[in-house]
Structure formats: structure tokens, C-alpha cells
Amino acid sequence: MTGFTPRPYRLYNKIQYYGWGTKNEKAIIPHLLGIEPEHDKPYAELWIGAHPKASSEIEIDGNRVTLDRVVKELPTESLGEFVCGKFGGRFPFLLKVLSAARALSIQAHPNKDQAVKLHAARPDLYVDDNHKPEIAIAIDSLDAIVGFRPVREVQSNVRSLPGLSSFVGRETVDDVSRASDDHDLAEHIKTLYSEIMTRSENVERLSDCIKDIENRLSQLTARTPEESEFLRQYESYGIDVGLLSLFFFNMVHLEPGQAIFTDAGVPHAYLKGNIVECMANSDNVVRAGLTNKFKDVGTLLEILKYDFQKCEILNSSRQKGDVTYKTKAEEFEVSHHVKVGGSYETWTTNRSPYVVLVLDGTVEVNWTEGGAEESIAFSKGDSFFVPAFLSEFRLKFRDNADFFSVTVPRGDNQHERKN
């Protein structure tokens, strides 16, 4: 690839049409890309990165080439020595725009060691050997369930669900209802949740339990958020064990700019909304409900993390300007930028890759190549890749601009920005 030079590259990305995606005039992805949505086609995810399932493409010497191929053949130029060494020459992150009209499956992701073992044992189900920590940043809003809520909240919910006793056994439910010590209560909740998931294969008893809860909640004039969500998801999924998880997990609502980070083993589901999402470069999912797809209950119970605490909201104060979302992920660091027209900045990469997604406005990128000044403009819906061997580039904002950038975090403050 002699034509691969140190410069920014426009990315040509792929759309995923999963059934839960938004359709028609509400579909944010075609609106972002400036295309007409096909009638009743669900626009669920836009993938921006180098995952082999749906790698983005760049243009080299007039030909489209997948980004994963570029990285494989030219890893040092694409990623830099630090990123190559840390991630074995693989592109470390995957950026997405996700648009959910209805709930995604309740799921958890394995840690790195678990992912290696699962991929070796079941490559048909677990398509790569990587873990999948991820961040979800609300574009307009997001409703989600994330992680086990505090034990006393779970206990209160369990006490309001008498139908559970006939499903999993009275003793198991009573242990949760009567526990006075928080440590004991946490252990009893783990047992109860495990029993719920394990017994979910008994469709008749699960159906009786779900219908009992649905009948009782339908008669209430005032409902908790989880009770209202139960009824909404029941209309979509009917008899599904995932409905019971709504009483165990935190209910979360994000406003624009707010975010949640989901680490390995943390159960979660996005219920409705439009987000920018970034994760380690993986598509491994262990499902727990609200889905017609295979639910690997045994694996789920092995990897679940029981934190029993409120979900942390990143950028809870909804700051604007330059907001960097700090997480424990080693593969990515996401920043959201809102810039005023007429301003400019110089960015240095220190030999790490960048991906930029423009949500609104125009971002002009300038760089020096072969002693000459070059430039290219990116507008709403465009994204671009800056390879590691371009050490410095300049951004000019012709008008007000709203965009996201992703790079790999390092401890040496290498990513400088100068006005």
C-alpha cells in the first residue's frame, strides 16, 4: 500500500439493521448521514472502526480498502509502536452511533480471560477473544438498565412480587424478604437471581409468574419506573425472563452529554434512545433476556458482577466545550467537543491513532505532506481516521461544530491541543 501516507482519511462506514433500530422519520442514522431512510427499515447501529464483522473503509490510490486490512498490513504506521505493542497489532476500539426504538437484549460481557476461553470453546457464539468494556454517551437521551441496584431496593421490589414464590420457591424468596443484614441479603439476592435465570427454561411456570405480575401492575393507578417499564417491555416481548431483571437492576435516564461506562460482568440493556457508543474492538455478548436470541444462562451466571450500587453518571453536570470521559478502559478515551465558528486548534497524536465523528457543523483538517499544506473538510455525518504516523494536524472550524474524538489513553499527556 505505497499510497498510504501520513494524512487524515475519510471513513466509509457500515450500517447494522437490527430489529430494535429506529425507523422512518425517527431514524437518526440516515438523518445524520444525509440519506433517505428506506421505509420501515430499522437503522440500529453505524460501525466506525476495524472490526472484521463490518470494518470501515478508507480510500488509497483511488480504491476502497478495509481499515482492518490496512492495520494488518501496516500496523506501525496505522497504530504506532505503543498501541501495536499493547494490543498485539490490532485496532483497539470500535466507535458506534446506536439508535434504539425498543430494548436491546439484557446482556453482560466477559472479561479478557473469559473471552479467550469462550471463543476457544464456542467460536460460533463468541466471535472473537476480546473483552468489551464500553461507554454510552447520550446524543439526545437514553433510558437503560445498568448493574444491580442497592440491596435494600432489590429487597423492596422482591417483596412486591408475590408471584415469584411459585416460580422459584417460597424459601428462596423469603430469604430475601426477611434478611436484615446487608451482607446476607446480598448473598440471598445472588441465589434468587441465579434461580430465576436457571428456572427460566420452565416456560409454563415463568409464564404464570410474568402474567401474575402483569395482571397486578395493570390494575395499579400509580407505578414505579420499573413497574411501568415492565408493562412496556411486556407488550414487546411477552413472556421473557428479562422482564424480571427490571426489578433487580438500576433504572437510568441520561440527558444529552451524560454517559455511563459498563465494565466486564455488569448486566445492562439500552431500552430507548440515541447514543454515541465506544468499546473495545469486540462483538462478544452473553444474553440474559428481552431477546429471541440464544440465552447462555450458565455463562451469564459465571461472569455476572454483583456490585449492588447506584450507577455512576459521567458528566452528570452536562458540561460542554471539551469533555473527556475518563474510564478504566485501556483501549479508548472518548472526548466530546463543541467549538465556536472561526476558531482553530493544533492537535498532536504522539504516534497514536485518532477517529473523529462529526455530529454537526464543519471541521476542516489541515496537515503538511511532502512539504505542502493540505486540507480536507468534514461535515455532519462524516468521520475520519488519523493514522499514528501523522504526528500533528490542525483543525479549523468554519462554523459552530459538534464532534467526538477517540484515541488510546496514555499516562504521558501525549495528546496536546493548542489554540
Side-chain angles (χ1 to χ4, degrees):
M1 296 186 190
T2 56
F4 186 59
T5 59
R7 54 159 296 170
Y9 287 87
R10 183 181 301 273
L11 288 165
Y12 301 90
N13 308 305
K14 293 181 173 61
I15 300 172
Q16 304 288 358
Y17 303 98
Y18 306 135
W20 45 261
T22 53
K23 302 176 182 179
N24 304 321
E25 71 279 357
K26 294 183 178 180
I28 191 175
I29 290 173
H31 177 71
L32 179 66
L33 299 178
I35 60 177
E36 192 69 25
E38 294 184 37
H39 181 67
D40 279 347
K41 193 166 189 176
Y43 291 81
E45 295 181 348
L46 180 70
W47 285 32
I48 308 169
H51 194 282
K53 177 180 175 181
S55 178
S56 301
E57 297 176 328
I58 64 174
E59 191 172 290
I60 301 175
D61 294 331
N63 298 310
R64 296 272 188 95
V65 184
T66 60
L67 186 57
D68 60 337
R69 179 187 164 193
V70 175
V71 171
K72 183 178 181 180
E73 295 188 15
L74 298 168
T76 304
E77 293 88 341
S78 301
L79 304 179
E81 292 184 1
F82 170 79
V83 175
C84 275
K86 190 173 183 64
F87 302 106
R90 295 194 294 187
F91 201 89
F93 58 82
L94 175 61
L95 182 66
K96 297 181 182 180
V97 177
L98 183 151
S99 182
R102 60 187 182 94
L104 284 67
S105 58
I106 298 173
Q107 58 192 255
H109 307 303
N111 63 31
K112 181 62 177 176
D113 290 340
Q114 292 164 341
V116 170
K117 294 175 182 176
L118 289 171
H119 177 64
R122 292 293 306 273
D124 57 325
L125 282 177
Y126 304 106
V127 295
D128 54 63
D129 62 359
N130 203 10
H131 64 167
K132 195 184 175 188
E134 63 187 35
I135 187 171
I137 307 165
I139 296 175
D140 45 24
S141 66
L142 175 69
D143 292 318
I145 50 175
V146 185
F148 282 89
R149 61 173 71 205
V151 291
R152 292 300 169 184
E153 293 184 17
V154 178
Q155 184 183 52
S156 177
N157 283 342
V158 169
R159 286 171 174 168
S160 70
L161 302 173
L164 274 181
S165 295
S166 60
F167 177 40
V168 298
R170 180 170 299 280
E171 183 177 353
T172 304
V173 175
D174 285 349
D175 284 342
V176 172
S177 297
R178 296 170 181 172
S180 57
D181 177 81
D182 282 0
H183 180 268
D184 290 344
L185 177 54
E187 293 303 311
H188 290 316
I189 291 172
K190 292 179 187 179
T191 300
L192 173 58
Y193 192 77
S194 177
E195 286 292 307
I196 287 173
M197 296 307 300
T198 302
R199 293 172 184 256
S200 62
E201 294 181 358
N202 189 326
V203 178
E204 184 176 349
R205 286 195 174 184
L206 175 62
S207 178
D208 289 342
C209 177
I210 296 293
K211 289 179 179 178
D212 176 83
I213 296 172
E214 188 274 336
N215 182 62
R216 183 178 60 82
L217 297 183
S218 296
Q219 299 178 42
L220 298 179
T221 55
R223 305 183 186 97
T224 65
E226 52 268 31
E227 289 172 340
S228 296
E229 195 63 47
F230 179 98
L231 293 177
R232 279 193 291 269
Q233 298 305 331
Y234 178 80
E235 290 183 6
S236 295
Y237 290 97
I239 305 303
D240 188 300
V241 69
L243 295 169
L244 299 177
S245 292
L246 295 167
F247 301 103
F248 289 79
F249 301 159
N250 290 294
M251 300 285 299
V252 175
H253 176 77
L254 300 184
E255 293 293 333
Q258 294 180 331
I260 49 176
F261 174 71
T262 308
D263 204 0
V266 177
H268 61 285
Y270 305 140
L271 303 177
K272 185 177 182 181
N274 298 304
I275 63 173
V276 167
E277 185 182 26
C278 193
M279 62 207 67
N281 197 9
S282 173
D283 196 34
N284 278 328
V285 176
V286 183
R287 294 180 176 85
L290 299 187
T291 180
N292 295 319
K293 295 182 179 180
F294 175 71
K295 294 186 280 288
D296 191 349
V297 172
T299 299
L300 175 79
L301 295 176
E302 288 179 11
I303 71 171
L304 273 185
K305 185 179 292 183
Y306 296 87
D307 284 338
F308 297 112
Q309 60 186 10
K310 294 287 188 182
C311 177
E312 180 185 6
I313 306 299
L314 305 179
N315 192 27
S316 58
S317 61
R318 297 178 58 190
Q319 294 181 355
K320 295 182 179 180
D322 290 304
V323 177
T324 297
Y325 298 87
K326 298 291 186 179
T327 72
K328 62 187 294 185
E330 297 182 341
E331 291 82 0
F332 59 83
E333 184 173 85
V334 183
S335 298
H336 184 204
H337 313 274
V338 178
K339 301 295 184 179
V340 177
S343 60
Y344 67 93
E345 296 177 350
T346 298
W347 288 23
T348 57
T349 64
N350 196 18
R351 310 298 179 180
S352 293
Y354 261 94
V355 167
V356 174
L357 167 66
V358 182
L359 289 189
D360 204 5
T362 301
V363 177
E364 180 183 301
V365 187
N366 299 266
W367 73 99
T368 303
E369 185 174 354
E373 289 292 316
E374 304 286 349
S375 70
I376 185 172
F378 298 94
S379 299
K380 178 179 179 178
D382 291 338
S383 58
F384 61 93
F385 166 61
V386 180
F389 68 154
L390 177 61
S391 60
E392 182 178 286
F393 57 100
R394 296 166 296 284
L395 301 181
K396 292 184 179 180
F397 311 107
R398 299 176 181 177
D399 46 22
N400 294 345
D402 185 342
F403 63 101
F404 283 87
S405 66
V406 188
T407 190
V408 179
R410 286 167 63 170
D412 54 2
N413 298 317
Q414 85 287 13
H415 305 295
E416 294 184 19
R417 299 168 191 157
K418 302 175 183 177
N419 296 325

Short mmCIF file of all heavy atoms in Angstrom, two decimals, residues 106 145 148-149 154 157-158 161 163-164 167-168 192-193 195-197 199-200 205-214 217 226 230 233 238-249 288-290:
data_model
loop_
_atom_site.label_atom_id
_atom_site.label_comp_id
_atom_site.label_asym_id
_atom_site.label_seq_id
_atom_site.Cartn_x
_atom_site.Cartn_y
_atom_site.Cartn_z
N ILE A 106 -30.95 -7.75 27.31
CA ILE A 106 -30.19 -7.64 28.55
C ILE A 106 -28.96 -8.52 28.40
O ILE A 106 -29.05 -9.68 27.99
CB ILE A 106 -31.03 -8.09 29.75
CG1 ILE A 106 -32.26 -7.18 29.89
CG2 ILE A 106 -30.20 -8.05 31.03
CD1 ILE A 106 -33.23 -7.64 30.95
N ILE A 145 -31.07 0.09 31.70
CA ILE A 145 -30.90 -0.56 32.99
C ILE A 145 -29.45 -1.00 33.07
O ILE A 145 -28.91 -1.56 32.11
CB ILE A 145 -31.87 -1.75 33.20
CG1 ILE A 145 -31.84 -2.72 32.00
CG2 ILE A 145 -33.29 -1.25 33.44
CD1 ILE A 145 -32.69 -3.97 32.20
N PHE A 148 -26.63 -4.18 39.18
CA PHE A 148 -27.54 -4.49 40.29
C PHE A 148 -27.69 -3.28 41.20
O PHE A 148 -26.71 -2.69 41.65
CB PHE A 148 -27.01 -5.68 41.09
CG PHE A 148 -27.25 -7.01 40.42
CD1 PHE A 148 -26.32 -7.52 39.54
CD2 PHE A 148 -28.40 -7.73 40.67
CE1 PHE A 148 -26.53 -8.74 38.90
CE2 PHE A 148 -28.64 -8.95 40.05
CZ PHE A 148 -27.70 -9.46 39.16
N ARG A 149 -28.93 -2.92 41.48
CA ARG A 149 -29.22 -1.78 42.34
C ARG A 149 -28.91 -2.11 43.80
O ARG A 149 -28.68 -3.28 44.14
CB ARG A 149 -30.68 -1.34 42.18
CG ARG A 149 -31.71 -2.39 42.56
CD ARG A 149 -33.12 -1.83 42.52
NE ARG A 149 -33.59 -1.56 41.17
CZ ARG A 149 -34.52 -0.67 40.87
NH1 ARG A 149 -35.09 0.05 41.83
NH2 ARG A 149 -34.90 -0.48 39.62
N VAL A 154 -33.58 -3.78 45.94
CA VAL A 154 -33.97 -5.09 45.41
C VAL A 154 -34.92 -5.78 46.37
O VAL A 154 -35.94 -6.35 45.97
CB VAL A 154 -32.72 -5.98 45.17
CG1 VAL A 154 -33.16 -7.35 44.67
CG2 VAL A 154 -31.78 -5.33 44.16
N ASN A 157 -38.39 -4.44 46.10
CA ASN A 157 -39.05 -4.90 44.88
C ASN A 157 -39.50 -6.35 44.98
O ASN A 157 -40.59 -6.72 44.54
CB ASN A 157 -38.13 -4.73 43.68
CG ASN A 157 -38.03 -3.29 43.20
OD1 ASN A 157 -38.89 -2.46 43.53
ND2 ASN A 157 -37.00 -2.98 42.44
N VAL A 158 -38.65 -7.19 45.54
CA VAL A 158 -38.99 -8.61 45.68
C VAL A 158 -40.22 -8.78 46.57
O VAL A 158 -41.09 -9.62 46.29
CB VAL A 158 -37.80 -9.40 46.25
CG1 VAL A 158 -38.21 -10.81 46.66
CG2 VAL A 158 -36.67 -9.46 45.22
N LEU A 161 -43.49 -8.64 44.74
CA LEU A 161 -43.71 -9.61 43.66
C LEU A 161 -44.06 -10.99 44.23
O LEU A 161 -43.25 -11.92 44.19
CB LEU A 161 -42.45 -9.72 42.79
CG LEU A 161 -41.95 -8.43 42.13
CD1 LEU A 161 -40.61 -8.66 41.46
CD2 LEU A 161 -42.98 -7.91 41.12
N GLY A 163 -45.76 -13.31 43.10
CA GLY A 163 -45.75 -14.37 42.12
C GLY A 163 -44.41 -15.07 41.97
O GLY A 163 -44.33 -16.16 41.39
N LEU A 164 -43.34 -14.46 42.49
CA LEU A 164 -42.02 -15.09 42.40
C LEU A 164 -41.96 -16.41 43.17
O LEU A 164 -41.24 -17.34 42.78
CB LEU A 164 -40.94 -14.15 42.94
CG LEU A 164 -40.34 -13.11 41.99
CD1 LEU A 164 -39.28 -12.31 42.72
CD2 LEU A 164 -39.75 -13.78 40.76
N PHE A 167 -42.70 -19.50 41.35
CA PHE A 167 -41.76 -19.72 40.25
C PHE A 167 -40.45 -20.32 40.74
O PHE A 167 -39.97 -21.33 40.22
CB PHE A 167 -41.52 -18.39 39.51
CG PHE A 167 -40.52 -18.47 38.39
CD1 PHE A 167 -40.48 -19.56 37.52
CD2 PHE A 167 -39.63 -17.43 38.19
CE1 PHE A 167 -39.56 -19.61 36.49
CE2 PHE A 167 -38.71 -17.48 37.15
CZ PHE A 167 -38.67 -18.58 36.31
N VAL A 168 -39.86 -19.72 41.77
CA VAL A 168 -38.53 -20.17 42.22
C VAL A 168 -38.56 -20.84 43.59
O VAL A 168 -37.53 -21.37 44.03
CB VAL A 168 -37.54 -18.99 42.26
CG1 VAL A 168 -37.35 -18.40 40.88
CG2 VAL A 168 -38.00 -17.91 43.23
N LEU A 192 -31.25 -15.91 44.56
CA LEU A 192 -32.55 -15.73 43.94
C LEU A 192 -32.42 -15.45 42.45
O LEU A 192 -33.13 -16.05 41.63
CB LEU A 192 -33.30 -14.58 44.62
CG LEU A 192 -34.64 -14.15 43.97
CD1 LEU A 192 -35.61 -15.31 43.91
CD2 LEU A 192 -35.24 -12.97 44.73
N TYR A 193 -31.51 -14.55 42.08
CA TYR A 193 -31.35 -14.22 40.67
C TYR A 193 -30.88 -15.43 39.87
O TYR A 193 -31.33 -15.68 38.75
CB TYR A 193 -30.39 -13.04 40.48
CG TYR A 193 -30.44 -12.49 39.07
CD1 TYR A 193 -31.49 -11.67 38.67
CD2 TYR A 193 -29.46 -12.81 38.14
CE1 TYR A 193 -31.56 -11.19 37.37
CE2 TYR A 193 -29.52 -12.33 36.84
CZ TYR A 193 -30.57 -11.52 36.46
OH TYR A 193 -30.65 -11.05 35.17
N GLU A 195 -31.50 -18.52 40.58
CA GLU A 195 -32.65 -19.43 40.46
C GLU A 195 -33.62 -18.95 39.37
O GLU A 195 -34.15 -19.76 38.60
CB GLU A 195 -33.38 -19.53 41.80
CG GLU A 195 -32.65 -20.35 42.86
CD GLU A 195 -32.61 -21.82 42.47
OE1 GLU A 195 -33.67 -22.40 42.19
OE2 GLU A 195 -31.49 -22.37 42.41
N ILE A 196 -33.83 -17.64 39.31
CA ILE A 196 -34.73 -17.09 38.28
C ILE A 196 -34.21 -17.44 36.89
O ILE A 196 -34.95 -17.91 36.02
CB ILE A 196 -34.86 -15.57 38.45
CG1 ILE A 196 -35.72 -15.24 39.68
CG2 ILE A 196 -35.47 -14.92 37.20
CD1 ILE A 196 -35.77 -13.77 40.03
N MET A 197 -32.92 -17.21 36.67
CA MET A 197 -32.35 -17.46 35.35
C MET A 197 -32.32 -18.96 35.04
O MET A 197 -32.62 -19.39 33.91
CB MET A 197 -30.94 -16.87 35.26
CG MET A 197 -30.90 -15.35 35.38
SD MET A 197 -32.01 -14.48 34.24
CE MET A 197 -31.36 -15.04 32.66
N ARG A 199 -34.23 -21.38 36.22
CA ARG A 199 -35.57 -21.95 36.06
C ARG A 199 -36.35 -21.35 34.89
O ARG A 199 -37.49 -21.74 34.64
CB ARG A 199 -36.37 -21.75 37.35
CG ARG A 199 -35.83 -22.55 38.54
CD ARG A 199 -36.55 -22.16 39.83
NE ARG A 199 -36.01 -22.84 40.99
CZ ARG A 199 -36.56 -23.87 41.61
NH1 ARG A 199 -37.71 -24.35 41.16
NH2 ARG A 199 -36.00 -24.42 42.67
N SER A 200 -35.74 -20.40 34.19
CA SER A 200 -36.47 -19.74 33.10
C SER A 200 -36.79 -20.70 31.95
O SER A 200 -37.65 -20.39 31.11
CB SER A 200 -35.64 -18.57 32.56
OG SER A 200 -34.41 -19.01 32.00
N ARG A 205 -44.11 -22.25 34.16
CA ARG A 205 -44.04 -21.53 35.43
C ARG A 205 -43.61 -20.08 35.23
O ARG A 205 -44.10 -19.18 35.92
CB ARG A 205 -43.08 -22.23 36.38
CG ARG A 205 -43.65 -23.52 36.96
CD ARG A 205 -42.84 -23.99 38.14
NE ARG A 205 -43.45 -25.14 38.79
CZ ARG A 205 -42.97 -25.70 39.90
NH1 ARG A 205 -41.88 -25.23 40.47
NH2 ARG A 205 -43.60 -26.74 40.44
N LEU A 206 -42.68 -19.86 34.30
CA LEU A 206 -42.28 -18.48 34.00
C LEU A 206 -43.47 -17.69 33.49
O LEU A 206 -43.69 -16.54 33.89
CB LEU A 206 -41.15 -18.48 32.96
CG LEU A 206 -40.70 -17.10 32.47
CD1 LEU A 206 -40.13 -16.27 33.60
CD2 LEU A 206 -39.68 -17.25 31.33
N SER A 207 -44.27 -18.29 32.63
CA SER A 207 -45.44 -17.61 32.09
C SER A 207 -46.42 -17.25 33.19
O SER A 207 -46.96 -16.13 33.22
CB SER A 207 -46.11 -18.51 31.05
OG SER A 207 -47.28 -17.90 30.55
N ASP A 208 -46.66 -18.18 34.11
CA ASP A 208 -47.58 -17.90 35.23
C ASP A 208 -47.08 -16.72 36.06
O ASP A 208 -47.85 -15.85 36.46
CB ASP A 208 -47.73 -19.13 36.12
CG ASP A 208 -48.51 -20.25 35.45
OD1 ASP A 208 -49.22 -19.97 34.47
OD2 ASP A 208 -48.40 -21.41 35.92
N CYS A 209 -45.76 -16.69 36.31
CA CYS A 209 -45.17 -15.62 37.11
C CYS A 209 -45.30 -14.27 36.41
O CYS A 209 -45.74 -13.29 37.01
CB CYS A 209 -43.70 -15.94 37.39
SG CYS A 209 -42.81 -14.67 38.31
N ILE A 210 -44.93 -14.22 35.13
CA ILE A 210 -44.99 -12.97 34.37
C ILE A 210 -46.42 -12.46 34.26
O ILE A 210 -46.70 -11.26 34.46
CB ILE A 210 -44.40 -13.17 32.96
CG1 ILE A 210 -42.91 -13.53 33.03
CG2 ILE A 210 -44.63 -11.94 32.09
CD1 ILE A 210 -42.02 -12.45 33.53
N LYS A 211 -47.35 -13.35 33.98
CA LYS A 211 -48.74 -12.95 33.84
C LYS A 211 -49.32 -12.47 35.16
O LYS A 211 -50.13 -11.54 35.19
CB LYS A 211 -49.57 -14.10 33.28
CG LYS A 211 -49.28 -14.39 31.81
CD LYS A 211 -50.11 -15.57 31.30
CE LYS A 211 -49.85 -15.84 29.83
NZ LYS A 211 -50.60 -17.01 29.32
N ASP A 212 -48.90 -13.09 36.26
CA ASP A 212 -49.37 -12.65 37.58
C ASP A 212 -48.91 -11.22 37.86
O ASP A 212 -49.70 -10.38 38.32
CB ASP A 212 -48.82 -13.59 38.66
CG ASP A 212 -49.18 -13.13 40.06
OD1 ASP A 212 -50.30 -13.45 40.52
OD2 ASP A 212 -48.35 -12.46 40.71
N ILE A 213 -47.65 -10.92 37.54
CA ILE A 213 -47.13 -9.57 37.75
C ILE A 213 -47.81 -8.59 36.82
O ILE A 213 -48.22 -7.49 37.23
CB ILE A 213 -45.60 -9.55 37.54
CG1 ILE A 213 -44.90 -10.43 38.58
CG2 ILE A 213 -45.06 -8.12 37.62
CD1 ILE A 213 -43.42 -10.64 38.33
N GLU A 214 -47.98 -8.96 35.57
CA GLU A 214 -48.61 -8.08 34.59
C GLU A 214 -50.04 -7.75 34.99
O GLU A 214 -50.48 -6.59 34.91
CB GLU A 214 -48.59 -8.74 33.21
CG GLU A 214 -49.03 -7.85 32.07
CD GLU A 214 -50.53 -7.85 31.85
OE1 GLU A 214 -51.19 -8.84 32.24
OE2 GLU A 214 -51.06 -6.85 31.30
N LEU A 217 -49.94 -5.30 38.06
CA LEU A 217 -49.47 -3.96 37.73
C LEU A 217 -50.48 -3.22 36.86
O LEU A 217 -50.61 -2.00 36.96
CB LEU A 217 -48.12 -4.03 37.01
CG LEU A 217 -46.95 -4.60 37.81
CD1 LEU A 217 -45.66 -4.52 36.99
CD2 LEU A 217 -46.77 -3.86 39.13
N GLU A 226 -39.80 1.08 37.33
CA GLU A 226 -39.56 -0.29 36.88
C GLU A 226 -40.87 -1.03 36.59
O GLU A 226 -40.93 -1.88 35.68
CB GLU A 226 -38.71 -1.08 37.88
CG GLU A 226 -39.19 -1.08 39.30
CD GLU A 226 -38.57 0.03 40.12
OE1 GLU A 226 -38.26 1.10 39.55
OE2 GLU A 226 -38.41 -0.17 41.33
N PHE A 230 -41.80 -2.54 33.01
CA PHE A 230 -42.22 -3.94 32.89
C PHE A 230 -43.39 -4.06 31.92
O PHE A 230 -43.39 -4.91 31.02
CB PHE A 230 -42.60 -4.49 34.26
CG PHE A 230 -43.07 -5.93 34.25
CD1 PHE A 230 -42.20 -6.96 34.58
CD2 PHE A 230 -44.39 -6.25 33.92
CE1 PHE A 230 -42.63 -8.29 34.56
CE2 PHE A 230 -44.82 -7.56 33.90
CZ PHE A 230 -43.94 -8.58 34.23
N GLN A 233 -42.28 -3.27 28.25
CA GLN A 233 -41.50 -4.35 27.64
C GLN A 233 -42.32 -5.63 27.48
O GLN A 233 -42.06 -6.41 26.56
CB GLN A 233 -40.24 -4.64 28.48
CG GLN A 233 -39.28 -3.46 28.58
CD GLN A 233 -38.84 -2.93 27.23
OE1 GLN A 233 -38.78 -3.66 26.24
NE2 GLN A 233 -38.56 -1.63 27.17
N GLY A 238 -43.56 -10.07 25.57
CA GLY A 238 -44.40 -11.12 26.14
C GLY A 238 -43.69 -11.84 27.26
O GLY A 238 -43.08 -11.22 28.14
N ILE A 239 -43.77 -13.18 27.24
CA ILE A 239 -43.16 -13.97 28.31
C ILE A 239 -41.66 -14.05 28.08
O ILE A 239 -41.17 -14.75 27.20
CB ILE A 239 -43.77 -15.40 28.35
CG1 ILE A 239 -45.30 -15.31 28.47
CG2 ILE A 239 -43.17 -16.20 29.49
CD1 ILE A 239 -45.80 -14.54 29.67
N ASP A 240 -40.92 -13.31 28.88
CA ASP A 240 -39.46 -13.24 28.75
C ASP A 240 -38.87 -13.03 30.14
O ASP A 240 -39.28 -12.12 30.87
CB ASP A 240 -39.06 -12.09 27.83
CG ASP A 240 -37.58 -12.09 27.49
OD1 ASP A 240 -36.75 -11.99 28.42
OD2 ASP A 240 -37.25 -12.19 26.29
N VAL A 241 -37.91 -13.86 30.51
CA VAL A 241 -37.33 -13.79 31.85
C VAL A 241 -36.66 -12.44 32.10
O VAL A 241 -36.53 -11.99 33.24
CB VAL A 241 -36.33 -14.94 32.07
CG1 VAL A 241 -35.09 -14.78 31.20
CG2 VAL A 241 -35.96 -15.08 33.54
N GLY A 242 -36.25 -11.75 31.02
CA GLY A 242 -35.61 -10.45 31.19
C GLY A 242 -36.51 -9.43 31.87
O GLY A 242 -36.01 -8.48 32.48
N LEU A 243 -37.82 -9.61 31.79
CA LEU A 243 -38.73 -8.68 32.46
C LEU A 243 -38.49 -8.64 33.97
O LEU A 243 -38.63 -7.61 34.61
CB LEU A 243 -40.18 -9.07 32.18
CG LEU A 243 -40.65 -8.96 30.73
CD1 LEU A 243 -42.00 -9.62 30.56
CD2 LEU A 243 -40.71 -7.51 30.29
N LEU A 244 -38.11 -9.77 34.54
CA LEU A 244 -37.88 -9.82 35.99
C LEU A 244 -36.62 -9.07 36.38
O LEU A 244 -36.50 -8.57 37.51
CB LEU A 244 -37.80 -11.28 36.45
CG LEU A 244 -39.07 -12.11 36.21
CD1 LEU A 244 -38.85 -13.55 36.65
CD2 LEU A 244 -40.27 -11.51 36.93
N SER A 245 -35.66 -8.96 35.46
CA SER A 245 -34.42 -8.24 35.76
C SER A 245 -34.67 -6.76 36.01
O SER A 245 -33.86 -6.09 36.66
CB SER A 245 -33.43 -8.39 34.60
OG SER A 245 -32.96 -9.71 34.50
N LEU A 246 -35.78 -6.23 35.51
CA LEU A 246 -36.09 -4.82 35.72
C LEU A 246 -36.22 -4.49 37.20
O LEU A 246 -36.02 -3.33 37.60
CB LEU A 246 -37.38 -4.46 34.99
CG LEU A 246 -37.34 -4.55 33.46
CD1 LEU A 246 -38.75 -4.49 32.89
CD2 LEU A 246 -36.47 -3.45 32.88
N PHE A 247 -36.54 -5.47 38.02
CA PHE A 247 -36.71 -5.24 39.46
C PHE A 247 -35.40 -5.41 40.22
O PHE A 247 -35.34 -5.14 41.42
CB PHE A 247 -37.77 -6.17 40.02
CG PHE A 247 -39.11 -5.99 39.37
CD1 PHE A 247 -39.57 -6.89 38.42
CD2 PHE A 247 -39.91 -4.90 39.68
CE1 PHE A 247 -40.80 -6.73 37.81
CE2 PHE A 247 -41.14 -4.72 39.07
CZ PHE A 247 -41.59 -5.64 38.13
N PHE A 248 -34.34 -5.84 39.54
CA PHE A 248 -33.04 -6.07 40.17
C PHE A 248 -32.00 -5.02 39.76
O PHE A 248 -31.04 -4.79 40.49
CB PHE A 248 -32.50 -7.46 39.79
CG PHE A 248 -33.23 -8.59 40.44
CD1 PHE A 248 -34.46 -9.03 39.95
CD2 PHE A 248 -32.71 -9.24 41.56
CE1 PHE A 248 -35.14 -10.07 40.54
CE2 PHE A 248 -33.38 -10.29 42.17
CZ PHE A 248 -34.60 -10.71 41.66
N PHE A 249 -32.17 -4.40 38.59
CA PHE A 249 -31.14 -3.51 38.05
C PHE A 249 -31.52 -2.05 38.21
O PHE A 249 -32.69 -1.69 38.33
CB PHE A 249 -30.92 -3.79 36.56
CG PHE A 249 -30.49 -5.21 36.25
CD1 PHE A 249 -30.68 -5.73 34.97
CD2 PHE A 249 -29.92 -6.02 37.21
CE1 PHE A 249 -30.28 -7.02 34.66
CE2 PHE A 249 -29.53 -7.32 36.92
CZ PHE A 249 -29.71 -7.82 35.64
N ALA A 288 -29.16 -12.24 28.50
CA ALA A 288 -29.91 -12.65 29.68
C ALA A 288 -31.41 -12.48 29.55
O ALA A 288 -32.16 -12.88 30.44
CB ALA A 288 -29.43 -11.84 30.90
N GLY A 289 -31.88 -11.87 28.45
CA GLY A 289 -33.32 -11.69 28.32
C GLY A 289 -33.67 -10.54 27.40
O GLY A 289 -32.80 -9.87 26.85
N LEU A 290 -34.97 -10.29 27.24
CA LEU A 290 -35.52 -9.32 26.29
C LEU A 290 -34.96 -9.58 24.89
O LEU A 290 -34.52 -8.67 24.19
CB LEU A 290 -35.24 -7.88 26.73
CG LEU A 290 -35.83 -7.45 28.08
CD1 LEU A 290 -35.61 -5.97 28.31
CD2 LEU A 290 -37.30 -7.80 28.19
#
